Amino acid sequence: MLDNDALVTPTTTLLAADTVDHYKKNTDNSAIDSYPLTIMTERNQPLAATVYHPQTSTASKIKTAVMIAPATGIKRQFYHSFATFLAEQGFGVITYDNEGIGQSLSTTLAKSDASLISWGRHDMPAVLDALQYEFPEASYHLIGHSAGGQLIGLMPNYAALSSIFNVACSSGRIKNLEMPYKLKAMGFMDAFIPLTNLVLGYTPADKIGMGEPLPRGVARQWREWCNGAGYIKTALGKTIHNHYYDELTMPSLWLGFSDDDIANSENMDDMIRVFPNMSVEKHYLNPKDLGVSHIGHMRYFSRKTYSKVPQLWQMAVDWLKTHS
């Protein structure tokens, strides 16, 4: 069952994993405190999250806080190095697993009724509520990776966000993909997803290197949206009747790379058009001009990429400082 389209106000319950040692030392870097957090969504679903806190600052002194919204089927650990880097620069950060992914899977996968819509309408607002609770005196920002940037217009509490920084965020429209990747995408969307959903009750995307196993509703909407006019646009007026895409006016930076088979420039523009009133700054870069062979859809968040092209992570820092 997919999430219904009723307007909701998210209710967030924050549960520290250890109430005695709330600030758990991050063994990777003495300048950062990190601790696990459980966030309850309005659907009464627990989300596993991690808070990154600059050790030398109290929560009330942190003036900029960031939620990192993940790509489809990507666990929060993937963003650990990037989140640590941001915290080293003085920002408060929360990473999280969407419902049905990683440690946010609270039932057998075949029984999960999570969807892309529920991720945007319930998970993301709950995490933003948690960000405000953890860092009460800050301005709030969202760094979205792929789907994490596409679903922002479903958030009832979007107005709390001061800015958006999107990486590899696009419509994902298969029609706009280039060969031979287009054939691979068609096979995944039109054969693998429906077959595995039918047989298993979920999509084992991990078996073909596409992130974590996906709840059937997530995979089904992913297929429908990419086969149509792209993420969100295909669903507007059909499965999505109430949304906020027309209302978002905050500044945004959209970062893409020319070797990204999914978020190519045309698909990025498709997605940007869904936000008609958002202030947009687009950067579409060639990795070879930066001195690296490949960045694609995923490697912006890689520590190895940072070691070779530190200015890419610095772009996020500069953006956050400018718009705080």
Side-chain angles (χ1 to χ4, degrees), residues 229-252:
Y231 253 79
I232 301 298
K233 187 177 179 181
T234 295
L236 297 182
K238 298 176 182 177
T239 54
I240 297 175
H241 300 285
N242 300 304
H243 62 84
Y244 310 95
Y245 286 94
D246 295 343
E247 300 178 23
L248 275 69
T249 60
M250 72 281 287
S252 64

Side-chain angles (χ1 to χ4, degrees), residues 132-186:
Q132 295 175 81
Y133 180 90
E134 293 292 320
F135 305 102
E137 303 298 326
S139 64
Y140 306 106
H141 307 262
L142 186 147
I143 294 181
H145 181 205
S146 194
Q150 297 153 347
L151 300 172
I152 300 168
L154 298 178
M155 299 174 66
N157 57 350
Y158 71 88
L161 293 169
S162 295
S163 80
I164 307 296
F165 186 97
N166 280 338
V167 179
C169 179
S170 78
S171 67
R173 192 179 187 186
I174 290 179
K175 181 180 179 181
N176 295 334
L177 303 183
E178 296 183 1
M179 295 294 190
Y181 189 82
K182 185 175 184 178
L183 286 177
K184 178 181 177 180
M186 290 172 63

